[in-house]
Amino acid sequence: MAAEIVNPRSESGTEGAPEEPFDPAFALHRGGKMAIQATVPVRNKDDLSLAYTPGVAKVCTAIAERPELVHDYTWKSQVVAVVTDGTAVLGLGDIGPEASLPVMEGKAILFKQFGGVDAVPIALATTDTDEIVETVVRLAPSFGGVNLEDISAPRCFEIERKLQERLDIPVFHDDQHGTAIVTLAALRNAAKLTGRTLGDLRAVISGAGAAGVAIAKFLLEAGIGDVCVADRKGVVSSDREDLTDVKREIAGLTNKAGLSGSLETALAGADVFIGVSGGTVPEAAVASMAKDAFVFAMANPNPEVHPDVAHKYAAVVATGRSDYPNQINNVLAFPGIFAGALQVRASRITEGMKIAAADAIAGVVGDALAADCVIPSPFDDRVAPAVAAAVAAAARAEGVARR
């Protein structure tokens, strides 16, 4: 009699697990949120001989002779590694690799649902920058791209840079670039709604971590009038002596107005507030902003400026929450970006590809543009295809596409 196969997702496979009161979040996560599924049948010996030995040997030999065939005869060209060390997970901070896995699984299923891209969560038991880089480099032959996730600053900048230098597949730190792309898309539409251009705007960013630094650089690349970044000690300006290398670089790139002092001081007369810090901005500082200002308070679960307060003074209000209009959500960007990059076998993701993604997201809004609709819903099924097409076209235009 054949041994019974226990489904690890069933109740019978959870003996010894700690009991907990019913909670829908725990119920949904029991057994994990994803699984690997075969795309070909193995019903009999003929199927087995093709899917495995001896048939598989022909494919292996062909790839050994022509390595580029790996993209055609394996899943490499349609799968992404979602890599973390668990040091900056959501708003939870440094909770470690095991505790990060529910988030990484969530990221993987968003890749699949919104972009049709397979993704594999990889949580690493090291926080050493060089060890992370070496590990990912050694894993890279199995993947068409690498999505870095929830790795704390400033190490995340160096890790991404080193991986981009050593790999010929797209490497994308979503906490940086996904946030920046969706922010730019919303900002373009907000400016359009109020009869301005990006070049007319002065923005203040609260938060000088991965997202804040990336947003500042990206907005400058896109042509914003001026932007300054503030951390816990105030405006990141060149006259400060306590700056890290990353903050010193951003101080040299930003703040044409030469502002110094507190975030509140910088907000006086500013056109845009972008919050990626988790702090709290006093109402008086919001009231001091320019007419028809934009408040993008993206901290979760508590925005830096409560929407009810922001609406008193701002023409457009956005948050990172799904229960308010204008959600700045990375899921609008990363599935389509990787889908487009994998489609053309891009060797990297360029600034031009990121700007193309932002423009595509903004363009989906179209005639629905309004104060409560400067960004599409994550469930708008037009978004990922539009982003993928724009990214693929930009990759070809910039010479990083290989098909």
Side-chain angles (χ1 to χ4, degrees), residues 81-371:
V82 181
V83 179
T84 189
D85 63 358
T87 55
V89 181
L90 298 179
L92 304 174
D94 185 355
I95 60 174
E98 289 86 359
S100 77
L101 271 176
V103 178
M104 300 308 113
E105 287 182 3
K107 196 81 174 189
I109 65 175
L110 295 179
F111 263 111
K112 188 66 174 178
Q113 177 169 336
F114 292 101
V117 174
D118 291 305
V120 177
I122 298 176
L124 301 178
T126 179
T127 60
D128 181 86
T129 294
D130 290 333
E131 288 183 359
I132 292 172
V133 170
E134 292 298 328
T135 302
V136 175
V137 167
R138 283 160 174 72
L139 290 170
S142 297
F143 298 98
V146 175
N147 183 100
L148 299 174
E149 191 75 19
D150 293 350
I151 298 173
S152 63
R155 295 174 311 113
C156 59
F157 303 113
E158 184 179 0
I159 290 168
E160 183 185 47
R161 177 180 58 79
K162 287 184 174 180
L163 285 173
Q164 285 177 335
E165 290 171 352
R166 295 184 59 181
L167 298 178
D168 66 346
I169 57 176
V171 178
F172 185 84
H173 184 209
D174 189 47
D175 302 311
Q176 292 183 60
H177 310 301
T179 308
I181 287 164
V182 182
T183 299
L184 175 60
L187 198 55
R188 283 205 191 283
N189 274 341
K192 180 180 179 181
L193 182 68
T194 56
R196 289 175 284 180
T197 67
L198 205 63
D200 297 325
L201 304 177
R202 177 171 74 84
V204 177
I205 298 173
S206 175
V213 169
I215 291 169
K217 289 183 176 180
F218 195 52
L219 293 183
L220 289 171
E221 181 77 20
I224 197 166
D226 193 14
V227 58
C228 77
V229 180
D231 61 11
R232 292 184 181 88
K233 297 182 179 179
V235 173
V236 176
S237 57
S238 299
D239 59 351
R240 281 177 48 179
E241 297 180 356
D242 61 342
L243 301 181
T244 63
D245 290 342
V246 170
K247 290 181 182 181
R248 191 172 299 110
E249 178 193 12
I250 206 67
L253 296 172
T254 60
N255 195 16
K256 293 177 187 175
L259 301 173
S260 59
S262 67
L263 168 71
E264 291 81 0
T265 300
L267 278 175
D271 303 290
V272 185
F273 168 75
I274 297 171
V276 283
S277 66
T280 301
V281 178
E283 182 173 346
V286 181
S288 74
M289 295 177 68
K291 183 178 182 293
D292 290 333
F294 313 142
V295 172
F296 293 0
M298 296 186 282
N300 266 314
N302 300 311
E304 293 88 349
V305 182
H306 192 279
D308 292 345
V309 173
H311 277 297
K312 294 180 183 179
Y313 311 101
V316 176
V317 177
T319 72
R321 291 174 50 149
S322 58
D323 53 347
Y324 289 102
N326 295 327
Q327 184 189 18
I328 308 293
N329 192 326
N330 290 18
V331 77
L332 290 165
F334 68 82
I337 288 170
F338 271 99
L342 293 175
Q343 175 188 329
V344 297
R345 294 181 190 165
S347 58
R348 57 174 303 164
I349 294 172
T350 65
E351 291 301 301
M353 292 161 72
K354 289 184 274 186
I355 287 176
D359 291 345
I361 294 168
V364 169
V365 172
D367 294 338
L369 181 63

